[in-house]
């Protein structure tokens, strides 16, 4: 079965064709990130306008009009995300479904991130599993007992992990998005500053990163003492905050796996590209750890097509609605 997936929930405009849930036939991602880097964050109105400009050209790169008729179904992200951006993909997918008379499967963006671990993977994840979805807008833990069977067990109460990376990077004068910048700097430094690990020991699966950010602001103010940070301090601060964030993510995921009897942990979302997070999880969890190829960690259409295949619940096109704030 060949599914065409569309993803427009934020600043990536992405379309892909995936066969039988894991074989990528074609995948194109266009990003308006360079525009947002100038403003230090995504401006929703700008992102939506860029989606409108990019979608038809991206679709045209992935498939011709003739081939479009041979697609078996469409999958589209309907939420969560920025409403203006989501609407572009959702309305386009509805039009395709209606005109070509093909099924349309609405996909939750976060479940899409989970399925990026299935793409081109000869050994896809086993169930039951704990999914840690960590992105710019989300830090969520799920218990998944099979395809279509997920249960939300906890998530962030304030900032998402990616957002914490982005804000901390900005404080250090590094570029946007902050995660990759922090990772590069952390690699050059050592974790010598004590930072809090919020909620690491409590008995929920929730996270909170705003306290860490406040502690970080105070630490930077103390170090600056009216001057500016040197590059060694920046690298060491990056290493310290990366370690604090990863410690909490890893410790809660492993505890969830133990308590739910899951021998598998799957990482998804933009932060899953972080090599230190991967290494720490691999080094501390005795079960299996799965993560997507870094190129499928960021938003893409292939993960949406994969999620649509394994959770195949088509809906009449005129009942599909974009929903910016849906969780699970
Ligand atoms: O999933 P994603 O591409 O978009 C959202 O749906 O949010 O995630 C983007 C987030 C950003 O906050 C970015 O800083 C973070 O993922 N990120 C990273 C790394 N690469 C991207 N965080 C830590 N380490 C990385 N290597
Ligand atoms: Zn995402």
């Amino acid at each position: 079965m060949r599914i065409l997936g569309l993803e427009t929930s934020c600043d990536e405009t992405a379309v892909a064709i995936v066969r039988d849930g894991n074989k990528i036939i074609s995948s194109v991602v266009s990003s308006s990130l360079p525009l947002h880097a100038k403003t230090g964050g995504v401006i929703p109105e700008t992102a939506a306008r860029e989606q409108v400009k990019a979608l038809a050209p991206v679709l045209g790169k992935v498939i011709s009009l003739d081939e479009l008729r041979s697609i078996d179904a469409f999958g589209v992200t309907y939420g969560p995300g920025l409403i203006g951006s989501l609407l572009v993909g959702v309305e386009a997918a509805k039009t395709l479904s209606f005109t070509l008379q093909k099924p349309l499967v609405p996909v939750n963006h976060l479940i899409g991130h989970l399925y990026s671990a299935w793409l081109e993977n000869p050994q896809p994840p086993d169930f039951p599993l704990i999914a840690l979805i960590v992105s710019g807008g989300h830090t969520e833990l799920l218990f998944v007992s099979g395809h279509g069977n997920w249960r939300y067990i906890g998530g962030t109460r304030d900032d998402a992990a990616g957002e914490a990376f982005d804000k901390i990077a900005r404080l250090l004068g590094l570029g946007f998005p902050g995660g990759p910048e922090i990772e590069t700097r952390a690699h050059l430094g050592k974790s010598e500053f004590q930072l809090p690990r919020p909620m690491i020991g409590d008995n929920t699966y929730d996270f909170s990163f705003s306290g860490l950010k406040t502690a970080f602001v105070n630490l930077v103010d103390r170090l600056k003492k009216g001057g500016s940070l040197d590059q060694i301090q920046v690298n060491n601060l990056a290493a310290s905050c990366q370690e604090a964030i990863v410690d909490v993510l890893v410790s809660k995921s492993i505890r969830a796996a133990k308590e739910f009897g899951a021998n598998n942990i799957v990482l998804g979302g933009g932060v899953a590209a972080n090599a230190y997070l991967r290494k720490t999880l691999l080094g501390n969890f005795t079960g299996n750890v799965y993560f997507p190829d870094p190129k499928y960690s960021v938003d893409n259409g292939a993960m949406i097509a994969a999620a649509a295949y394994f959770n195949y619940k088509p809906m009449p096109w005129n009942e599909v609605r974009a929903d910016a704030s849906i969780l699970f």
Side-chain angles (χ1 to χ4, degrees):
M1 179 180 219
R2 295 197 319 155
I3 298 186
L4 185 136
L6 298 102
E7 156 61 43
T8 69
S9 66
C10 187
D11 55 337
E12 270 85 28
T13 309
V15 178
I17 303 168
V18 175
R19 193 173 63 224
D20 298 337
N22 59 15
K23 181 88 201 69
I24 299 177
I25 294 173
S26 173
S27 175
V28 174
V29 180
S30 161
S31 179
S32 60
L33 196 66
L35 262 185
H36 309 297
K38 289 181 198 150
T39 47
V42 177
I43 295 176
E45 171 77 18
T46 312
R49 285 173 186 273
E50 293 305 308
Q51 292 287 0
V52 172
K53 279 194 226 161
L55 187 54
V58 167
L59 183 64
K61 277 188 195 154
V62 169
I63 196 163
S64 70
L65 196 56
D66 275 352
E67 288 167 329
L68 207 44
R69 294 181 219 286
S70 70
I71 287 296
D72 297 301
F74 296 99
V76 66
T77 302
Y78 73 101
L82 304 172
I83 190 63
S85 292
L86 284 167
L87 279 166
V88 178
V90 167
E91 296 308 313
K94 286 161 73 172
T95 308
L96 288 167
S97 166
F98 168 70
T99 48
L100 296 159
Q101 294 292 297
K102 297 288 167 85
L104 176 58
V105 183
V107 174
N108 180 313
H109 180 75
L110 300 168
I111 299 301
H113 273 302
L114 166 63
Y115 279 90
S116 54
W118 268 255
L119 293 170
E120 301 291 345
N121 187 349
Q123 283 175 312
D126 270 341
F127 297 106
L129 60 86
I130 292 293
L132 172 68
I133 312 295
V134 261
S135 70
H138 294 275
T139 304
E140 322 291 353
L141 272 176
L142 304 180
F143 171 63
V144 189
S145 54
H147 293 300
N149 257 320
W150 59 79
R151 187 172 132 205
Y152 173 81
I153 59 172
T156 186
R157 293 189 181 172
D158 40 57
D159 291 355
E163 198 177 352
F165 274 114
D166 293 339
K167 287 179 175 171
I168 282 169
R170 192 189 302 190
L171 280 167
L172 293 176
L174 305 173
F176 176 83
E181 299 265 346
I182 295 274
E183 179 169 12
T184 309
R185 291 308 198 104
H187 201 64
L188 303 170
K190 48 183 193 303
S191 170
E192 64 169 25
F193 298 107
Q194 272 304 315
L195 286 166
R197 269 71 171 151
M199 300 182 78
I200 198 166
D202 76 353
N203 60 2
T204 71
Y205 295 109
D206 287 343
F207 301 88
S208 163
F209 291 108
S210 72
L212 171 62
K213 192 193 67 196
T214 308
F216 194 81
V217 171
N218 294 337
L219 173 62
V220 168
D221 282 349
R222 253 196 338 270
L223 291 171
K224 276 185 170 172
K225 287 190 215 103
S228 56
L229 298 170
D230 64 40
Q231 293 309 304
I232 293 173
Q233 284 175 315
V234 170
N235 296 345
N236 293 346
L237 283 163
S240 309
C241 88
Q242 176 176 265
E243 191 185 273
I245 293 172
V246 166
D247 262 6
V248 183
L249 295 175
V250 167
S251 134
K252 291 237 165 175
S253 306
I254 293 179
R255 186 160 63 75
K258 284 189 184 137
E259 284 182 24
F260 283 84
N263 198 34
N264 308 284
I265 296 180
V266 179
L267 271 182
V271 182
N274 186 284
Y276 180 72
L277 170 60
R278 292 169 177 229
K279 197 180 85 188
T280 311
L281 199 50
L282 278 169
N284 287 281
F285 185 52
T286 48
N288 307 311
V289 181
Y290 303 86
F291 22 67
D293 184 315
K295 59 178 179 285
Y296 307 128
S297 295
V298 289
D299 293 353
N300 63 84
M303 69 186 197
I304 301 306
Y309 176 83
F310 288 111
N311 302 271
Y312 193 74
K313 291 198 188 104
M315 266 174 75
W317 67 269
N318 52 354
E319 286 176 23
V320 176
R321 301 255 182 289
D323 186 339
S325 55
I326 181 134
L327 200 47
F328 291 104

